[in-house]
Amino acid sequence: MSVIAAFGVPAPATAQADAIADEYAGGTVSDLLGADGAVSALRPEARNGTVEEARRYAARNHDNVADTNADELKNVDALQAQLATAAVEPPPEWLLNECLSRPGADGIGGHVLFRGYWCQKNKVHGEYIYNGKKEGEFTVEYRAQAVANPFTRQVHYWFHGDDYDTSGSFSGWSTLSLKVECVDLTVGCSADRKYVTMDVGDWDDGEWVNWNLSSDEAAATQQPEKVLRNLFVLRGSALDDFNRPVELDSLTRPGFRCDSADYFAGAPKACVFTDVIPRLNYEYGQGYNEVVDHIKLAHLNPGATHPPRPGKLIPGHWGGIPNSAGLNRVPYGLDTWTKNRNAKDAACRTLPPKQPGQECDEYPFATTVQGAGRGDGNFSVKYVNGSQNGLAGNALQTYLRWDRILYDEDPVADGTLDEYWVKAG
């Protein structure tokens, strides 16, 4: 009689469990036999898929902030078109290498480079354990990448085995089956294929293997964007040379969100990865330095901004902690925007007279819940060059499209739907 794991064996000591977790953190593994003879089963953390949870997850995962830079904003159409090809071919190598170079890419959760791209480098490792003895094991090192499609409600996952090692009852001719599937948050989420099965030694043959995850808008109760939030996982099953099974699971459960927000021109449906802090990076040298100066002052020294207010705290600056106050988007030209614009104009009239060519800039933006019309005084106005103000406004609109920032009119009453931050300088 054989068993997959030695049940009844005492739980490993903390140090032993920590060592196992460090070695295989984020990988897809079986129950593991420690040096002290104890079996450890790594348990994935429970996740609820909310915006708040994703923010906490990103904050503790190497403070994972995705700064959208000027080059990305100038090439949004080309970048989105390139991402969309991941439905039929692997993303470009440079993108994978850039992502894998970041902290955390080899650990639990992998790394979200930006809202449209995720990667991980890790191991698939299995052990066959019988009566407290390890009889065989194998390891397949791999790279994985996934693209959140900017034009459909799909996520495209690509897996590449790079090397393998076997011992005992496992050999290169043992069987390894892998699949990607939605887990825990599964409503409306499905994969286009089940297990892909190969010999252990064939998983490093140089080919990419892919799965496509789809989000069914018909399963969404939220309106009108029809948002669904899901988690995905890489799972496996192996047979050693005696046809004895080993089940494999991963701690890694990346989150993604798909929507059908028709207010994105040319992209009425799309997905994004959620385990990252989305942030617009207003850089110097892009033609709007005066706006950068204004936002930087608002973030770092709000007491020096106009209009004066004791204890002023202006949101939108990511402080590295989950409760850093962000910004929520509202539609241009409607009620909240109108209130913001009217309050901004009133505050601007109390500034010294403007010079020729200047415009009154506001922060937070008029297209946010947190704008001047909120009435709490936590905003700033300043005269800046009008041309620079226009360029900065264009960059904001492009950013909202690139990071797929949804309208979020009442985040307090309805629960946060989307949130973003701004970096200045």
Side-chain angles (χ1 to χ4, degrees):
M1 175 181 174
S2 64
V3 293
I4 295 175
F7 296 104
V9 177
T14 300
Q16 178 68 25
D18 288 346
I20 293 173
D22 288 344
E23 183 176 0
Y24 296 108
T28 300
V29 301
S30 66
D31 291 351
L32 303 169
L33 184 65
D36 59 0
V39 174
S40 173
L42 303 186
R43 302 298 182 190
E45 59 185 351
R47 301 197 59 186
N48 61 29
T50 64
V51 173
E52 292 84 356
E53 186 225 34
R55 182 174 58 202
R56 293 193 300 270
Y57 193 94
R60 68 173 180 264
N61 189 11
H62 302 275
D63 194 19
N64 188 13
V65 180
D67 283 327
T68 300
N69 59 39
D71 288 340
E72 289 172 333
L73 292 179
K74 293 174 183 176
N75 295 284
V76 166
D77 291 335
L79 288 169
Q80 287 188 331
Q82 194 169 38
L83 290 175
T85 65
V88 293
E89 61 184 29
E93 195 78 8
W94 67 264
L95 190 57
L96 175 62
N97 292 337
E98 174 68 20
C99 186
L100 291 178
S101 70
R102 302 299 178 87
D106 59 350
I108 296 172
H111 181 76
V112 179
L113 186 63
F114 53 86
R115 296 245 281 187
Y117 186 82
W118 170 93
C119 72
Q120 186 179 46
K121 182 173 183 174
N122 219 293
K123 300 173 183 177
V124 176
H125 179 88
E127 300 181 359
Y128 185 81
I129 302 168
Y130 179 67
N131 285 345
K133 177 183 177 182
K134 185 192 302 182
E135 296 198 353
E137 63 182 315
F138 73 92
T139 299
V140 174
E141 298 179 5
Y142 70 87
R143 290 169 292 156
Q145 54 184 328
V147 168
N149 197 300
F151 302 113
T152 68
R153 295 180 64 117
Q154 287 188 309
V155 167
H156 313 295
Y157 181 102
W158 293 84
F159 178 97
H160 189 286
D162 292 319
D163 198 4
Y164 77 96
D165 183 66
T166 61
S167 66
S169 64
F170 279 96
S171 71
W173 291 276
S174 301
T175 301
L176 172 62
S177 301
L178 295 174
K179 66 177 178 179
V180 175
E181 64 181 0
C182 298
V183 62
D184 298 330
L185 305 175
T186 59
V187 174
C189 187
S190 61
D192 64 342
R193 63 199 302 194
K194 299 294 185 181
Y195 279 114
V196 175
T197 301
M198 288 189 270
D199 291 345
V200 170
D202 287 341
W203 277 98
D204 70 341
D205 63 0
E207 297 294 325
W208 285 93
V209 178
N210 81 297
W211 291 261
N212 297 303
L213 301 173
S214 296
S215 171
D216 182 7
E217 65 177 23
T221 58
Q222 186 275 334
Q223 298 293 334
E225 292 88 355
K226 302 176 183 177
V227 167
L228 286 177
R229 302 180 188 278
N230 298 102
L231 307 173
F232 67 88
V233 66
L234 175 67
R235 281 182 167 154
S237 179
L239 295 174
D240 73 358
D241 290 345
F242 300 97
N243 285 324
R244 297 178 298 191
V246 174
E247 298 302 315
L248 308 153
D249 200 357
S250 176
L251 294 179
T252 293
R253 272 135 169 81
F256 67 97
R257 181 205 81 204
C258 297
D259 68 77
S260 299
D262 59 8
Y263 43 82
F264 291 94
K269 300 179 183 182
C271 297
V272 295
F273 294 112
T274 54
D275 298 334
V276 67
I277 305 301
R279 185 165 68 174
L280 166 60
N281 186 9
Y282 269 134
E283 303 169 80
Y284 285 116
Q286 302 303 317
Y288 39 71
N289 285 0
E290 292 184 20
V291 175
V292 178
D293 285 338
H294 180 205
I295 297 175
K296 189 173 184 179
L297 180 68
H299 283 168
L300 303 182
N301 191 9
T305 63
H306 188 85
R309 174 187 178 276
K312 182 186 286 191
L313 294 173
I314 298 178
H317 178 237
W318 176 251
I321 55 177
N323 61 352
S324 298
L327 305 177
N328 303 95
R329 184 186 179 192
V330 298
Y332 177 86
L334 298 185
D335 290 349
T336 301
W337 179 91
T338 300
K339 290 179 181 178
N340 287 339
R341 185 49 51 96
N342 290 340
K344 183 267 293 188
D345 289 343
C348 293
R349 287 192 289 270
T350 65
L351 285 168
K354 66 179 178 180
Q355 300 300 311
Q358 287 187 324
E359 292 179 355
C360 191
D361 180 39
E362 78 227 78
Y363 181 82
F365 315 115
T367 52
T368 65
V369 170
Q370 294 76 18
R374 193 177 199 179
D376 60 8
N378 291 318
F379 71 98
S380 174
V381 294
K382 182 181 179 181
Y383 284 125
V384 300
N385 177 275
S387 296
Q388 294 191 30
N389 198 30
L391 289 174
N394 291 339
L396 171 62
Q397 294 306 311
T398 303
Y399 165 76
L400 296 173
R401 176 163 64 98
W402 168 246
D403 259 352
R404 193 80 182 182
I405 304 298
L406 301 177
Y407 293 151
D408 203 357
E409 285 271 15
D410 198 346
V412 176
D414 301 331
T416 302
L417 191 62
D418 221 345
E419 198 168 17
Y420 71 100
W421 287 260
V422 180
K423 180 182 179 182

